[in-house]
């Protein structure tokens, strides 16, 4: 209690408490700002991951539609997806930017960036198989011999529906999921750190406010506390009256009469 009383009576204690509250408030704002930034990055990671998976699925679907129906419409859709990914034409939202540029614009770690770009590279390698399948289709179209034409078409379909194609497709999916998992794990750890720091600062602010109230109340008590006045009683002089000593009165005895 003596230490607390000294703290409460120290003249600069309110200023120190005000400074602590101010600094803790700035720290809380900084933590919330950083946490908000982490959530924004997480949303961007989810968006890019979905965009990569969607473009890869679209390429697969359009390629398979083409080798099955031989309709040029699906080949045009396939080429449009590649052009959007390379930034040659605008996407559905009107954004004309390559996938690689969009990825590098987000503050990912280098390991996360490499993982997502690896998924794009795998998808581009898969597109080479699809282009090879298209070549078999184009080679079989002008063929007069039905059996030979069927052979070319079958070769294209084997490329698009074979085990090798499925294996490469699965690698793209796994790599894209790995990228998103890496980002989520990192941002979740950072988000929990910032939230813990923010709540710690809030607790410090509340304790500082309680201490500030105690300081104010303590100073009020010092001001209001009445000062005990000591009233001195007037000294009364006692007059000492000396009483005159009286001599003891002795009764004279009656003299006996002799008879």
């Amino acid at each position: 209690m003596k230490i607390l009383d000294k703290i409460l009576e120290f003249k600069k204690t309110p200023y120190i408490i005000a400074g602590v509250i101010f600094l803790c408030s700035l720290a809380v704002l900084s933590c919330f700002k950083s946490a908000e930034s982490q959530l924004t990055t997480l949303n961007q990671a989810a968006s890019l991951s979905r965009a990569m998976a969607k473009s890869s699925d679209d390429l697969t679907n359009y390629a398979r539609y083409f080798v099955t129906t031989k309709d040029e419409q699906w080949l045009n859709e396939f080429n449009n997806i590649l052009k959007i990914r390379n930034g040659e034409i605008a996407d559905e939202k009107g954004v004309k930017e390559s996938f690689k540029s969009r990825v590098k614009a987000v503050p990912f770690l280098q390991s996360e960036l490499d993982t997502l770009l690896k998924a794009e590279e795998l998808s581009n390698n898969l597109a080479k198989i699809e282009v090879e399948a298209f070549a078999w289709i184009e080679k079989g179209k002008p063929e007069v011999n039905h059996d030979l034409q069927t052979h070319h078409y079958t070769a294209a379909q084997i490329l698009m529906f074979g085990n090798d194609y499925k294996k490469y497709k699965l690698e793209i999916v796994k790599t894209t999921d790995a990228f998103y998992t890496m980002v989520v794990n990192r941002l979740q750890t950072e988000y929990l750190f910032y939230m813990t720091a923010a709540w710690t600062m809030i607790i410090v602010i509340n304790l500082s406010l309680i201490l500030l109230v105690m300081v104010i109340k303590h100073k009020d008590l010092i001001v209001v506390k009445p000062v005990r006045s000591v009233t001195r009683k007037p000294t009364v002089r006692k007059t000492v009256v000396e009483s005159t000593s009286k001599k003891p009165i002795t009764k004279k005895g009656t003299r006996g009469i002799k008879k």
Side-chain angles (χ1 to χ4, degrees):
M1 293 299 293
K2 291 182 179 179
I3 298 176
L4 181 60
D5 290 337
K6 289 182 179 179
I7 294 174
L8 297 177
E9 293 173 0
F10 187 57
K11 293 182 179 180
K12 294 184 179 180
T13 298
Y15 303 102
I16 296 174
I17 295 175
V20 171
I21 293 174
F22 176 74
L23 294 177
C24 289
S25 300
L26 292 180
V28 170
L29 292 175
S30 178
C31 288
F32 283 142
K33 186 67 177 178
S34 299
E36 182 181 359
S37 177
Q38 303 305 317
L39 292 177
T40 302
T41 304
L42 181 60
N43 292 332
Q44 290 174 327
S47 177
L48 291 172
S49 180
R50 286 194 299 267
M52 182 71 250
K54 184 178 183 303
S55 65
S56 179
D57 290 342
D58 288 342
L59 289 173
T60 297
N61 292 332
Y62 293 147
R64 286 177 173 175
Y65 294 160
F66 177 67
V67 299
T68 304
T69 64
K70 320 314 184 287
D71 190 347
E72 295 289 335
Q73 173 190 353
W74 303 119
L75 180 60
N76 294 333
E77 293 292 342
F78 178 89
N79 292 328
N80 287 337
I81 295 297
L82 288 179
K83 290 178 180 178
I84 291 173
R85 180 184 289 183
N86 296 328
E88 297 176 9
I89 61 175
D91 59 6
E92 297 175 354
K93 298 180 180 179
V95 179
K96 187 178 179 181
E97 186 179 10
S98 66
F99 182 79
K100 187 174 294 185
S101 299
R102 292 174 57 191
V103 171
K104 291 183 177 180
V106 183
F108 293 128
L109 297 179
Q110 188 61 42
S111 57
E112 298 166 351
L113 185 63
D114 293 341
T115 302
L116 187 56
L117 293 179
K118 180 183 178 182
E120 183 190 17
E121 182 181 356
L122 290 172
S123 181
N124 291 334
N125 292 335
L126 193 63
K128 295 179 181 179
I129 298 178
E130 294 160 348
V131 170
E132 184 180 352
F134 299 159
W136 280 108
I137 297 295
E138 295 299 329
K139 190 176 181 180
K141 279 184 178 181
E143 187 62 49
V144 179
N145 189 329
H146 178 71
D147 292 337
L148 191 58
Q149 185 183 54
T150 303
H151 169 75
H152 294 331
Y153 289 164
T154 303
Q157 292 174 1
I158 289 175
L159 286 175
M160 289 304 306
F161 293 93
N163 292 329
D164 290 339
Y165 188 91
K166 293 179 181 178
K167 182 179 68 174
Y168 295 145
K169 180 69 176 178
L170 184 60
E171 288 182 3
I172 296 173
V173 174
K174 288 182 178 180
T175 306
T176 305
D177 292 341
F179 157 76
Y180 185 70
T181 302
M182 291 171 64
V183 176
V184 168
N185 291 337
R186 175 177 65 87
L187 295 183
Q188 187 176 15
T189 302
E190 294 180 1
Y191 180 81
L192 291 176
F193 169 77
Y194 287 124
M195 286 295 97
T196 303
W199 280 111
T200 302
M201 294 298 104
I202 291 173
I203 293 173
V204 172
I205 290 173
N206 291 331
L207 294 177
S208 300
L209 290 174
I210 294 173
L211 184 58
L212 184 59
V213 172
M214 293 175 63
V215 171
I216 295 173
K217 289 292 184 181
H218 184 76
K219 291 186 180 297
D220 290 342
L221 289 175
I222 294 177
V223 174
V224 176
K225 187 177 180 181
V227 181
R228 185 178 180 183
S229 60
V230 180
T231 56
R232 299 180 63 183
K233 294 181 179 180
T235 57
V236 180
R237 282 183 162 185
K238 293 182 179 182
T239 307
V240 180
V241 179
E242 295 181 356
S243 60
T244 307
S245 59
K246 295 182 179 181
K247 294 180 180 180
I249 300 174
T250 57
K251 294 182 178 181
K252 292 181 180 181
T254 306
R255 295 181 72 178
I257 301 174
K258 293 182 180 182
K259 295 182 178 182

